Amino acid sequence: MRTREDAIQYGLTFDGAYTDRPFPRADWQLVRVRGSKKTFLAVYERNGLVNLNVKVDPEWRDFWRNAYASVLLGWHQNKEHWNTILLDGSIPEQEMKRMIAESYDLVTDSPAKRIYQAVRKIPKGCVATYGQVAQMAGNPKMARAVGNALHRNPDPLHIPCFRVVNAKGELAGEFAFGGAGQQAKLLEQEGVHVEDGRVDLKKYGICLQNKGLT
């Protein structure tokens, strides 16, 4: 992610996102959420660099600022709740996407945050179905939303979406997780046996009550 176009296009992948230019300065462009019109990404140019302003949880604010020299106090916005990211090539793209995704979750009532929190609870060496993740996230009817959220996983290292399978124990399509066989490989590394693209839910599937996950 090196250009303003890259940042804006990623911002537009989120549900209900749209762009707006409400300010006289032509270089300022906002990515907002329909309905609430809340901004979760501001893109502009300053001191010869493209800048991104993202909302941040105060508990994570200083973490990002300390982790990367190119993450600064939010310029022209509340310094407690906003960070500025300089697009100078020093921050891994996945980390920038994670910050933008977290900003989106903070300004919306999106179930994505709850879904990711639920997936983090799936124990190593186990799998959960889309329906179980939906239940853990507080709405058993949003199994389809689980699939959509996991395909947009902003932090694969900490959100183990490869542990999620369908109601028959079948793995996701080969396009997921970086290519053919990757989900099976990741599961096998954790001791989950995969046979013909499927896992035995009776053996590896979580039991929400027994594991205290409800």
Side-chain angles (χ1 to χ4, degrees):
M1 190 180 293
R2 296 295 298 272
T3 68
R4 65 183 299 126
E5 290 77 16
D6 290 340
I8 291 169
Q9 286 304 309
Y10 180 68
L12 290 175
T13 65
F14 293 87
D15 292 340
Y18 70 99
T19 58
D20 191 15
R21 293 181 183 269
F23 305 125
R25 284 183 53 178
D27 65 300
W28 271 79
Q29 191 166 2
L30 307 182
V31 184
R32 290 176 154 167
V33 180
R34 296 190 188 281
S36 69
K37 297 184 179 180
K38 290 183 178 180
T39 299
F40 67 94
L41 174 64
V43 184
Y44 57 94
E45 296 173 17
R46 183 168 178 262
N47 297 330
L49 284 174
V50 174
N51 287 212
L52 310 179
N53 279 14
V54 294
K55 196 163 188 179
V56 63
D57 186 323
E59 293 185 2
W60 283 88
R61 178 193 61 219
D62 296 332
F63 167 82
W64 289 116
R65 294 175 188 174
N66 293 330
Y68 297 103
S70 294
V71 177
L72 313 173
L73 287 74
W75 186 75
H76 207 58
Q77 289 185 277
N78 186 300
K79 306 297 189 287
E80 183 178 356
H81 295 281
W82 290 83
N83 277 344
T84 292
I85 306 170
L86 306 181
L87 262 64
D88 60 3
S90 65
I91 305 175
E93 181 167 337
Q94 201 62 39
E95 295 284 68
M96 287 191 287
K97 287 183 175 180
R98 179 180 173 186
M99 286 186 272
I100 294 171
E102 289 175 352
S103 180
Y104 175 82
D105 284 342
L106 285 170
V107 304
T108 64
D109 191 26
S110 167
K113 187 174 183 178
R114 298 196 306 274
I115 290 171
Y116 296 142
Q117 290 173 340
V119 173
R120 288 189 180 100
K121 295 179 181 179
I122 304 172
K124 183 177 180 180
C126 297
V127 297
T129 66
Y130 292 99
Q132 287 176 317
V133 172
Q135 184 177 343
M136 291 160 63
N139 186 348
K141 296 182 179 180
M142 65 179 185
R144 185 184 296 274
V146 171
N148 292 336
L150 297 186
H151 285 305
R152 204 182 64 220
N153 186 349
D155 188 13
L157 291 178
H158 300 99
I159 304 173
C161 54
F162 64 89
R163 294 176 188 161
V164 183
V165 298
N166 71 15
K168 297 179 180 179
E170 296 170 339
L171 276 55
E174 298 294 6
F175 63 88
F177 311 106
Q182 279 299 109
Q183 184 178 14
K185 180 180 178 181
L186 292 169
L187 288 171
E188 293 276 6
Q189 289 175 350
E190 293 190 348
V192 177
H193 179 63
V194 178
E195 185 173 351
D196 296 327
R198 179 181 296 184
V199 301
D200 185 346
L201 290 178
K202 291 183 179 180
K203 184 174 183 179
Y204 300 106
I206 63 172
C207 175
L208 299 186
Q209 288 185 329
N210 290 346
K211 292 185 179 297
L213 298 176
T214 53

